[in-house]
Amino acid sequence: VQLQASGGGLVQPGGSLRLSCAASGRTLSTVTMAWFRQVPGKEREFVAYRRSDGSTSVADFVKGRFTISKDNAKNTVYLQMNSLKPEDTAVYYCAAEPGQLIISRVRDAKNFGSWGQGTQVTVSS
């Protein structure tokens, strides 16, 4: 699966951004997709996932603010980010793994074999 992420940028606290991850080589209904983020000096951390059965989940620290969704026609997964905070500043990566990862594995970046190039999100006034 080849992934192309986009949509990052500079936004003020409280603002919104929508990240996109366009997939090619495989339809999204057959893969598990996820978003991770990383800041310098720290490990990549889980943000949200969408499994091939359509189930979704987000990390506790973005619950109520971030939503993951997909557009079948565009074979694209989105991360809608609202009420952004300065601590959300990071490089955001989309990831894909064929099939349906079990719940205990889907939040670990090591279990994903395909990655997008990353898109910078900066939340600052």
Side-chain angles (χ1 to χ4, degrees):
V1 183
Q2 291 76 49
L3 304 174
Q4 180 71 37
S6 61
L10 173 64
V11 63
Q12 292 187 342
S16 298
L17 281 175
R18 189 179 75 162
L19 305 184
S20 300
C21 180
S24 60
R26 196 149 177 165
T27 61
L28 292 182
S29 60
T30 65
V31 303
T32 296
M33 299 289 295
W35 288 95
F36 291 80
R37 68 186 188 186
Q38 189 170 26
V39 297
K42 291 192 174 182
E43 291 189 355
R44 204 164 287 190
E45 67 176 352
F46 165 78
V47 177
Y49 72 72
R50 188 187 187 286
R51 300 199 303 163
S52 56
D53 65 356
S55 60
T56 63
S57 183
V58 299
D60 286 344
F61 54 79
V62 301
K63 197 162 290 184
R65 301 189 297 123
F66 291 13
T67 304
I68 186 170
S69 63
K70 76 163 187 172
D71 183 326
N72 287 331
K74 296 182 178 180
N75 215 39
T76 297
V77 168
Y78 301 99
L79 184 69
Q80 179 66 44
M81 305 186 296
N82 300 327
S83 302
L84 283 161
K85 304 176 181 180
E87 52 263 43
D88 294 319
T89 295
V91 178
Y92 284 71
Y93 297 89
C94 60
E97 181 65 19
Q100 177 154 295
L101 287 177
I102 61 176
I103 298 295
S104 62
R105 296 172 63 86
V106 74
R107 295 173 183 245
D108 190 338
K110 295 191 292 293
N111 294 315
F112 288 83
S114 299
W115 290 86
Q117 80 281 16
T119 184
Q120 176 71 47
V121 172
T122 302
V123 185
S124 175
S125 56

